[in-house]
Amino acid sequence: MMLKRWSLLAGLLCVALLSWWAGCSNPNLAGGKLHFDQAGRLADPAERAARYERARDTFIQAMRELPQSGEARLWLGKTYAELGQTDSAAKYFDLAVQLEPVLKTDAQNARDHYWSVMTNLGQASAKGAQEAKTAGDEARADSLYHQALSELRKSMVYSPLKHQSYNLSGIVYFNLEQPDSAIPMFRKSYELSRNADEVGERGKVEKQFLGILERQGDRAYQSGENLKAS
């Protein structure tokens, strides 16, 4: 019985080593990583995108040659993320973990990284919109607010359980004077923040949510008074 058990373990180890060796020795997997690394060093957006596209094509070929490689799919997911194709990125992050559960932490780290990237972009766009609005450029403000919403939606795809994306989206919708869209976002943010470790974070979100509702009520009241006056 013991001998059979050791034989089984040895067989599994051999399979794992062969899989690892095949991944390390695959020229397309190595070449894709090289293109990916070089793309990140390029300053020109067009050149950077073209190099990420080469990385994508190379990883796709590696994936065909290594049908059981989670690593090839993880790198393909990262490449799609760099190309702004969020849904495809999330799909391949999931496939990587399905094929190789050991990659779960790496895939989550990638998701968290791109969540942070998109959230920061959303914040920057929202800030630019507010500045444009203050300067009286309503058209630019509207464009930047919608850009912020698009970026925040992408962040939700990467990490749907982080409440900050929903909270920021609620603020943007409120600034666009779309309370029917803002309130569900604040509610979602509050629900998710209740699971957060920081009690102060929950209180902050709740206070902000209630403040938004109060201001919306004031607007409705003022609107009603204006109608009476007319």
Side-chain angles (χ1 to χ4, degrees):
M1 180 66 72
M2 184 66 70
L3 182 60
K4 288 183 178 180
R5 184 177 299 174
W6 279 109
S7 297
L8 178 61
L9 289 173
L12 291 173
L13 180 60
C14 286
V15 170
L17 287 173
L18 285 171
S19 177
W20 173 81
W21 179 83
C24 290
S25 63
N26 184 272
N28 282 306
L29 182 55
K33 292 178 182 179
L34 182 61
H35 287 311
F36 187 95
D37 182 63
Q38 290 175 340
R41 301 170 188 267
L42 296 173
D44 182 78
E47 292 180 0
R48 186 166 59 248
R51 185 54 67 93
Y52 277 127
E53 288 172 357
R54 289 183 66 183
R56 175 200 60 202
D57 295 342
T58 309
F59 284 132
I60 288 174
Q61 186 58 37
M63 190 175 63
R64 290 170 181 159
E65 296 167 354
L66 302 169
Q68 298 303 314
S69 173
E71 184 183 12
R73 286 155 180 79
L74 177 64
W75 279 97
L76 182 57
K78 291 180 182 180
T79 306
Y80 274 124
E82 294 292 346
L83 288 169
Q85 299 180 38
T86 309
D87 291 334
S88 293
K91 170 187 172 182
Y92 282 101
F93 289 150
D94 287 342
L95 286 173
V97 177
Q98 288 175 21
L99 286 171
E100 295 188 54
V102 71
L103 294 175
K104 182 177 180 179
T105 299
D106 291 332
Q108 187 58 54
N109 287 340
R111 282 179 172 274
D112 289 344
H113 168 72
Y114 290 110
W115 172 85
S116 179
V117 169
M118 298 314 303
T119 300
N120 288 337
L121 287 174
Q123 285 180 312
S125 295
K127 181 180 179 182
Q130 190 60 44
E131 291 172 351
K133 190 172 184 178
T134 301
D137 192 343
E138 293 291 339
R140 177 167 171 74
D142 186 77
S143 176
L144 285 171
Y145 275 137
H146 282 91
Q147 180 177 317
L149 288 173
S150 176
E151 291 159 345
L152 291 169
R153 274 193 288 270
K154 290 181 178 180
S155 75
M156 294 172 194
V157 173
Y158 289 124
S159 291
L161 298 181
K162 292 184 182 292
H163 74 88
Q164 294 91 336
S165 302
Y166 301 92
N167 188 51
L168 287 168
S169 294
I171 294 172
V172 173
Y173 275 123
F174 187 76
N175 287 330
L176 284 169
E177 299 185 358
Q178 297 181 28
D180 290 344
S181 296
I183 290 173
M185 288 292 171
F186 284 118
R187 283 179 176 151
K188 182 69 173 178
S189 174
Y190 178 64
E191 289 170 5
L192 291 173
S193 70
R194 287 190 301 178
N195 298 323
D197 293 334
E198 303 86 356
V199 174
E201 189 69 18
R202 295 200 301 273
K204 178 182 176 182
V205 173
E206 182 177 16
K207 183 177 180 181
Q208 189 171 46
F209 178 45
L210 293 175
I212 291 292
L213 292 179
E214 183 179 355
R215 276 184 278 171
Q216 186 59 31
D218 289 342
R219 284 187 182 182
Y221 176 78
Q222 290 296 332
S223 177
E225 288 297 305
N226 290 337
L227 285 174
K228 289 179 182 178
S230 61

